[in-house]
Amino acid sequence: MKIYPRIELDISIKDLIVSLVSSFSYSERAKIVTQIQSYWHIPKEVLVTLCVRTSFDLLLQALCLPAGSEIMMSAVNIAHMEEIVKKHHCISVPIDIDLETLAPSLESLKASISDQSRIFVVAQLFGAIAPLDPYVEICKSHNILLVEDCAQAFDGLRYLGHPHADISLFSFGPIKSCTALGGSVTIVQDPNLAQKMRDIEQIYPVKTDFWFLKRLFKYFGLKVLSTPTIFGILIACLNLLKLDANNFISMLTRGFGKGDIQIQLRYRPPNRMLRLLLHRLEHLDTTYYDRRKQSAMLFFDSLKKTNSNLGNRVMLHSFWVVPLMTENPEMLMQTLRKAGFDSTTGTTSLKSMAEESSFATKLMRSILYLPIYPAVPLEEVDRLAQLINLNTANESK
């Protein structure tokens, strides 16, 4: 039985083979980095690092904030981001989100500002890109550094970060758009701050190509497994072995292991990763993101529940993933898998940092990520929507 996987790795078998056979000398490393930077046509400094978490850790090292400084953050965030804040003896302050923009609530932000507030991290969630002008004004008036986390919002170089954000972070990790199986492009407004970050990073060792080759083979295998027929066999085998398919697949796609996150972050990207990132940017197909959006919009047009499109008031939306809020996500997940659609609940690296009554917590408790991307035929996307409509109708009886 065919089962469409929950997410499509945004990389082709050909790209993976190119990375496998490519190589370049260490002396060419600076040239490759410069070529990657050239794709960001903006009057800011551009850094290329191992990952977004590395860049965030570099930022906090460069700023050297006093202990007890407050870092306000979108309440739906990566657990590691909060962990990094704590490693620097700072306090994370979650700001609840607005479900229509998926951005932090302006009212919550204003109410949370104190004399200790130093940084505000806005996460552009699920591929949605919310307008940041109101946040820019608030941060400037309180001398707060505005960090725009665009790890989930790459849209084929059509959005290069807000012009007035102090920092913008883009990820090319294994399950991200235009993946290079890792790597981050970090945009920095202040040249002095950017140089401090560079100076710190220069003392880091370079991750070995052997480390990257292991990752390359892992995701080559996952790319093959993501073929619907093969993926269906994998799910059948996991069920036969009585293994939790949801947790097993989440574990396979996890980018970092357990243990001290700072130890894992403090490296420079390996040569092969840089070469693959440049290759991906050189051969970027922006029509892929248009087709991904078309699939998502067809799905939401077919749904009878009209308010189901999270982030419907954003400026842009690339639909990196398609989340749905539902009363019983676990039950719907099982129903859809039986019908040939793999989906997943909130068992990703995202979590709610906010209190129980927050919109962030309600979202993460009721979220289901759906397999909607260009490789899924549009008639199958429509069938998925009709299954959810039927499920909703049965629940309301």
Side-chain angles (χ1 to χ4, degrees), residues 178-355:
C178 190
T179 178
L181 307 185
S184 167
V185 168
T186 300
I187 317 298
V188 185
Q189 183 87 264
D190 181 357
N192 293 326
L193 178 58
Q195 191 57 52
K196 286 181 182 178
M197 293 170 69
R198 282 196 193 97
D199 291 343
I200 296 167
E201 193 211 19
Q202 282 306 305
I203 67 172
Y204 291 175
V206 175
K207 271 283 190 185
T208 66
D209 276 349
F210 178 68
W211 172 87
F212 187 68
L213 282 170
K214 289 193 296 182
R215 176 170 280 215
L216 191 61
F217 281 115
K218 171 185 173 180
Y219 286 98
F220 191 98
L222 285 175
K223 185 68 179 178
V224 172
L225 284 173
S226 66
T227 305
T229 302
I230 299 175
F231 191 78
I233 295 170
L234 172 65
I235 295 295
C237 290
L238 291 173
N239 291 338
L240 193 64
L241 295 170
K242 299 191 184 304
L243 294 174
D244 188 313
N246 199 32
N247 289 334
F248 181 82
I249 297 163
S250 296
M251 180 186 67
L252 285 179
T253 56
R254 200 164 290 144
F256 290 89
K258 295 179 180 178
D260 190 322
I261 187 61
Q262 279 186 337
I263 293 174
Q264 299 179 66
L265 296 179
R266 293 183 173 181
Y267 286 89
R268 285 181 284 162
N271 291 353
R272 284 181 184 272
M273 180 183 286
L274 293 173
R275 168 61 78 183
L276 179 55
L277 177 53
L278 177 59
H279 171 80
R280 297 307 318 279
L281 294 173
E282 287 175 337
H283 299 86
L284 190 63
D285 178 13
T286 54
T287 64
Y288 172 83
Y289 306 102
D290 295 330
R291 287 181 282 120
R292 191 167 69 181
K293 182 175 181 178
Q294 179 190 10
S295 294
M297 295 313 297
L298 171 67
F299 169 76
F300 286 114
D301 287 344
S302 299
L303 274 190
K304 292 180 179 177
K305 194 176 179 182
T306 56
N307 63 344
S308 56
N309 186 356
L310 294 166
N312 54 54
R313 285 181 48 220
V314 297
M315 179 174 65
L316 299 168
H317 207 318
S318 67
F319 294 98
W320 169 60
V321 292
V322 178
L324 183 76
M325 287 183 72
T326 180
E327 291 182 11
N328 195 330
E330 187 73 29
M331 183 179 294
L332 181 56
M333 179 180 72
Q334 299 300 333
T335 299
L336 294 181
R337 188 171 291 159
K338 290 174 184 176
F341 298 101
D342 179 46
S343 57
T344 181
T345 56
T347 55
T348 66
S349 54
L350 280 178
K351 71 166 196 172
S352 171
M353 297 163 45
E355 58 190 21

